[in-house]
Amino acid sequence: MAEPKENVLMEKIVSLCKRRGFIFQSSEIYGGINGFWDYGPLGAELKRNVKELWWNTMTRQRDDVAGLEATIIMSPQIWKASGHVDTFSDPMCDCKGCKKRFRADQIEPSSGVVFHFYGAEDRSMNKALLDQLLADKSEEEQRKGKERYLELLKEERDADILKEELETHLRSGIPEVRDAAADKLRQLDSLERCTEHFAVLLPHGKPRESAEKKASVFFQQKGIKVPRFSAVRTENVENTVSYCNDCGCELTAPRPFNLMFKTYVGPVESEDNVAYLRPETAQAIFAQFKNVLETSRQRVPFGIAQVGKAFRNEVTPRNYTFRSREFEQMELEFFIKPDEVVEAIKGRVTPGAELDTRHPALDTSSWGWEAWHKYWVEQRIAFYEGIGLSRATLEEYWQKPEELAHYARACVDILFKFPFGTQELEGIAARSDFDLSQHARFSGKPMGVFDEELRAAWGKLPKEKSDDLWRRYYENRKKYLVKMGVEAEQAAKDATNDANGLAKGQYIPHVIEPSAGVDRLILALICNAYSEVTETDDKGKSETTVVMKFHPRVAPIKVGVMPLLKNKPELVKKAQEVRDLLRPWMNVFYDDAGSIGRRYARQDEAGTPFCVTIDFDTLGEKPELKDTVTIRYRDDGKQERLAIGELLNWLLPKIR
Ligand code: GAP
């Protein structure tokens, strides 16, 4: 659980985000909608910068990556093939008391006393029965009977006592009384009862009544108006995850809950028209793999990048924007040759451990999946460092073999130290040839590539080598097919065909997938940038202000332009000229309202790295300073003078 100090920090960050227009709750005027967030003016700029930097780094500045922008709604077959329809679910529990829904793996362990309630039956029914029983008695007898009944209720033994009373009637010598008693006993046996067990966990020392109240509400909802329990048992428990973290009531057993948002395409809402909002951008890349390959003149190894919206009906959206229901992803699918192909062409696969992938050799031709995977982990960390998230704020988590998806060979999560805990920013997975293979099987369209180098190399391999590579490729293909439910004989046949393809220069590429969330990165950048500065004046009065120390490359506003005074037309004119000079190149904020100190403070809160002030020296009061401006640095408040003519070239390398 987060420390209070961290909660306080998060509260300050959330409040600043609203106050300064970084992030707003979606549909706020209607009370909001859980798991959905809007970006205000500063947030929109920050987000745009981050996406653009990712796009430039991953595509434009590389020769081996092409871009894609696909639709959000695609053929539902895509989600069948990818496994999302059948397995994209979270284990979910419901609280039997407050009805809140939790992800089973996110329940905080709790300890205390559990009160187990058994055999709830309806006291109000007993009351009705008693009324009937007393109906043919004199007024005096009725009064006495009711008084006795109320006493019995207090003792909570009414049903049994009633039964006893009726049984005495059964022994009566009068047949009518016997018959009536027998009749009422039958009614008593069919009393409204609930056999369901219900339990409530209370912290040690909390009174039992509190649990009883919750149990009563639970059984009332089941139609037992005045529940009475045949047994209540208590049990001491430690670190259990079977009870609601909010109200202590028992949780249902976990059950899978598919996270995809469902909709219908066209005017008819039938099963035939079901479609899904994409839960990841990756699958469109696989589905368009052949089209991109053919139109971009790329050859394996190469990647396809996409940035766009994804939707997941998360069971418990939480931690501000960290887990949202609508979010954006920046995904790269980097297609590589299977290791058997690299080995056939180059004679060996360079072991990942041998490589310093931060400075990749020019020749990557002997890289197998391990080296490419390592390379992309380093590239992605370097990207984060380049936008201000130092290595000290990041962690690498290498998933353990038992945590990996069945098709994955490795997966590294890049984690960021958020105030609420160290959590995933991005996952970098080595996904084998699973995705392309699935789409090939489901669509019936081949997803393999032809590689002339492989065909030429294969013919020259010693038989022992080609047999060994053939066997390894065959085994991998067969393993995948059997795992996907293809019958063993058929799987062997298909795997044989696939392995025979190697000799003809054909294979299905494997993939390395760096998959990052835009919104998580924005939140990380905001948390990372947040800092407070406290200054005390001569009179001992101190004031704390917020400085958002964004890296200039991501900062929403790059430069604040300010005339020293707004009532001096020459200063204003010059400041507007500076603004117009910079505007085509970057986001500039022109501010002439209030004292210069206030204006600087406003820009500090917005995270603007530089402020440019136009003063009387700019106008030539000191002739040697004519046409120079003051540059003020956000992070240390230092100032220096620069000629207006040099300003653009001074700023550009800092913000790009
Ligand atoms: N194609 C692989 C894939 O989608 P993922 O780990 O489910 O993998 C990748 O998602 C990234 O997308 C995560 O590391 C995270 O940054 C972001 N992401 C996933 N679910 C999210 C959510 N509910 N809200 C915000 N970001 C999310």
Side-chain angles (χ1 to χ4, degrees):
M1 208 179 264
E3 294 293 315
K5 205 174 95 220
E6 291 160 348
N7 285 335
V8 169
L9 174 60
M10 243 358 257
E11 275 165 27
K12 285 181 177 178
I13 289 172
V14 171
S15 143
L16 173 97
C17 283
K18 179 165 159 57
R19 184 161 52 79
R20 287 311 313 256
F22 283 99
I23 299 172
F24 305 130
Q25 203 182 6
S26 165
S27 325
E28 194 189 279
I29 57 167
Y30 292 101
I33 169 166
N34 197 8
F36 296 86
W37 300 93
D38 293 341
Y39 290 84
L42 290 178
E45 288 290 341
L46 179 61
K47 210 172 176 194
R48 193 168 277 266
N49 292 343
V50 164
K51 288 192 284 182
E52 205 172 290
L53 280 165
W54 185 91
W55 186 262
N56 285 343
T57 310
M58 302 296 266
T59 66
R60 290 186 181 163
Q61 286 163 20
R62 302 183 62 103
D63 293 327
D64 57 359
V65 177
L68 178 73
E69 181 142 343
T71 56
I72 284 168
I73 292 180
M74 299 185 283
S75 162
Q77 283 300 102
I78 286 188
W79 307 112
K80 264 278 184 211
S82 66
H84 283 81
V85 170
D86 295 327
T87 60
F88 190 57
S89 51
D90 276 342
M92 177 206 76
C93 299
D94 289 311
C95 173
K96 289 188 180 178
C98 67
K99 309 292 178 220
K100 277 205 183 123
R101 188 160 274 187
F102 298 90
R103 247 175 73 172
D105 54 346
Q106 288 175 349
I107 297 158
E108 297 275 344
S110 39
S111 306
V113 183
V114 176
F115 291 82
H116 296 272
F117 296 89
Y118 301 93
E121 63 188 27
D122 200 339
R123 276 199 294 204
S124 66
M125 292 290 289
N126 294 355
K127 169 89 172 63
L129 206 64
L130 186 88
D131 285 347
Q132 279 181 31
L133 195 72
L134 299 174
D136 50 0
K137 298 198 173 176
S138 70
E139 254 179 47
E140 179 57 15
E141 281 170 329
Q142 280 195 26
R143 191 183 56 76
K144 278 193 184 151
K146 278 182 183 163
E147 275 168 12
R148 173 82 188 116
Y149 177 76
L150 289 174
E151 273 167 33
L152 295 174
L153 274 187
K154 274 185 209 144
E155 288 171 32
E156 295 199 357
R157 287 166 46 237
D158 51 314
D160 296 341
I161 300 294
L162 244 178
K163 220 169 172 179
E164 252 173 51
E165 189 171 329
L166 286 167
E167 272 157 7
T168 58
H169 284 255
L170 272 185
R171 289 192 290 277
S172 158
I174 307 162
E176 289 81 0
V177 174
R178 272 204 318 264
D179 289 351
D183 190 35
K184 296 200 174 20
L185 264 175
R186 269 193 302 278
Q187 287 183 45
L188 187 62
D189 282 342
S190 65
L191 260 184
E192 203 63 38
R193 274 176 222 273
C194 184
T195 51
E196 202 173 325
H197 155 262
F198 181 72
V200 183
L201 170 68
L202 293 185
H204 288 290
K206 239 192 154 187
R208 169 198 170 114
E209 290 75 51
S210 156
E212 274 171 356
K213 237 186 222 166
K214 288 183 170 134
S216 294
V217 172
F218 171 78
F219 286 105
Q220 274 158 5
Q221 283 162 356
K222 304 234 162 236
I224 312 282
K225 286 195 209 108
V226 187
R228 196 198 84 131
F229 306 103
S230 64
V232 180
R233 183 171 65 82
T234 57
E235 181 194 9
N236 281 323
V237 293
E238 293 287 327
N239 295 323
T240 170
V241 288
S242 305
Y243 297 89
C244 177
N245 288 147
D246 288 355
C247 74
C249 292
E250 185 183 350
L251 298 169
T252 60
R255 58 182 186 280
F257 169 74
N258 195 297
L259 300 185
M260 283 196 293
F261 279 100
K262 228 178 189 183
T263 185
Y264 299 93
V265 172
V268 182
E269 291 194 4
S270 73
E271 276 308 298
D272 291 343
N273 298 327
V274 163
Y276 303 97
L277 302 194
R278 68 182 177 200
E280 61 172 22
T281 60
Q283 291 306 320
I285 297 180
F286 298 120
Q288 292 293 5
F289 168 71
K290 273 303 183 84
N291 276 335
V292 176
L293 180 69
E294 278 155 23
T295 53
S296 64
R297 297 175 60 85
Q298 293 282 358
R299 286 171 51 209
V300 178
F302 83 104
I304 305 177
Q306 179 167 218
V307 178
K309 289 270 187 184
F311 302 81
R312 295 183 190 178
N313 197 2
E314 297 285 358
V315 180
T316 45
R318 53 153 75 181
N319 287 333
Y320 201 23
T321 59
F322 179 83
R323 190 178 303 288
S324 309
R325 291 183 164 137
E326 176 175 340
F327 56 97
E328 275 190 272
Q329 288 185 315
M330 307 182 285
E331 296 200 291
L332 170 71
E333 304 302 327
F334 195 80
F335 300 96
I336 57 172
K337 295 174 190 182
D339 281 10
E340 294 81 10
V341 171
V342 175
E343 203 171 322
I345 297 171
K346 301 302 291 184
R348 77 187 281 263
V349 175
T350 309
E354 265 182 31
L355 286 166
D356 183 354
T357 48
R358 271 172 290 185
H359 309 285
L362 287 178
D363 182 10
T364 58
S365 59
S366 64
W367 284 14
W369 73 264
E370 258 184 313
W372 277 116
H373 185 238
K374 200 173 160 201
Y375 166 79
W376 277 112
V377 173
E378 288 300 336
Q379 288 291 304
R380 297 300 307 138
I381 290 177
F383 173 80
Y384 290 123
E385 286 183 300
I387 56 172
L389 301 183
S390 71
R391 270 200 189 225
T393 65
L394 301 172
E395 262 178 37
E396 276 175 48
Y397 177 76
W398 288 73
Q399 287 187 12
K400 299 188 188 87
E402 65 273 19
E403 293 171 320
L404 291 173
H406 64 85
Y407 47 78
R409 290 186 164 171
C411 186
V412 174
D413 293 336
I414 298 179
L415 316 175
F416 175 77
K417 291 174 188 162
F418 288 98
F420 46 81
T422 302
Q423 303 260 3
E424 178 186 330
L425 265 190
E426 166 162 1
I428 300 155
R431 295 176 63 100
S432 73
D433 55 5
F434 174 77
D435 304 274
L436 288 182
S437 302
Q438 285 292 93
H439 288 299
R441 286 200 313 119
F442 276 73
S443 68
K445 305 277 180 340
M447 287 287 172
V449 297
F450 170 71
D451 189 326
E452 178 52 44
E453 246 190 312
L454 170 64
R455 200 185 61 79
W458 197 268
K460 294 180 198 148
L461 288 176
K463 178 150 180 2
E464 206 177 298
K465 184 79 179 171
S466 60
D467 280 356
D468 173 45
L469 294 175
W470 189 97
R471 171 71 40 200
R472 276 156 49 193
Y473 194 78
Y474 166 86
E475 291 299 347
N476 282 337
R477 294 297 302 160
K478 192 169 132 205
K479 196 166 139 204
Y480 150 72
L481 289 163
V482 169
K483 194 121 210 173
M484 291 298 104
V486 178
E487 186 261 318
E489 203 176 320
Q490 186 61 44
K493 230 164 141 186
D494 293 350
T496 303
N497 279 339
D498 292 340
N500 286 344
L502 292 177
K504 299 176 206 146
Q506 279 163 357
Y507 62 85
I508 297 182
H510 283 224
V511 75
I512 308 291
E513 178 195 66
S515 170
V518 180
D519 309 77
R520 281 196 192 172
L521 179 49
I522 298 298
L523 187 56
L525 290 168
I526 289 174
C527 294
N528 189 61
Y530 187 92
S531 66
E532 290 177 355
V533 178
T534 304
E535 274 171 6
T536 310
D537 65 17
D538 307 341
K539 292 173 196 133
K541 194 179 157 214
S542 49
E543 194 187 5
T544 300
T545 52
V546 173
V547 182
M548 293 298 285
K549 294 187 173 175
F550 290 119
H551 190 288
R553 296 174 82 199
V554 295
I557 301 166
K558 306 298 182 193
V559 61
V561 175
M562 307 166 180
L564 187 63
L565 299 170
K566 76 168 175 186
N567 55 0
K568 294 281 172 223
E570 311 91 300
L571 287 179
V572 169
K573 184 168 172 284
K574 200 68 176 172
Q576 286 173 348
E577 276 170 27
V578 172
R579 176 197 64 190
D580 295 343
L581 168 80
L582 301 177
R583 223 178 215 179
W585 303 92
M586 65 195 74
N587 193 24
V588 180
F589 192 86
Y590 179 85
D591 191 0
D592 61 10
S595 75
I596 198 76
R598 276 268 147 247
R599 282 184 266 168
Y600 286 155
R602 277 203 292 268
Q603 290 310 308
D604 287 349
E605 259 194 351
T608 308
F610 310 108
C611 284
V612 167
T613 309
I614 288 81
D615 55 21
F616 292 104
D617 288 337
T618 315
L619 302 179
E621 201 167 271
K622 282 197 197 113
E624 68 278 17
L625 294 181
K626 186 168 168 26
D627 283 335
T628 64
V629 288
T630 307
I631 300 257
R632 178 211 179 242
Y633 292 85
R634 171 198 64 201
D635 294 348
D636 56 13
K638 286 201 178 121
Q639 304 194 0
E640 62 181 278
R641 277 202 97 82
L642 203 69
I644 292 174
E646 289 169 26
L647 199 51
L648 188 58
N649 283 340
W650 186 90
L651 280 167
L652 281 180
K654 293 183 173 55
I655 62 163
R656 284 189 170 168

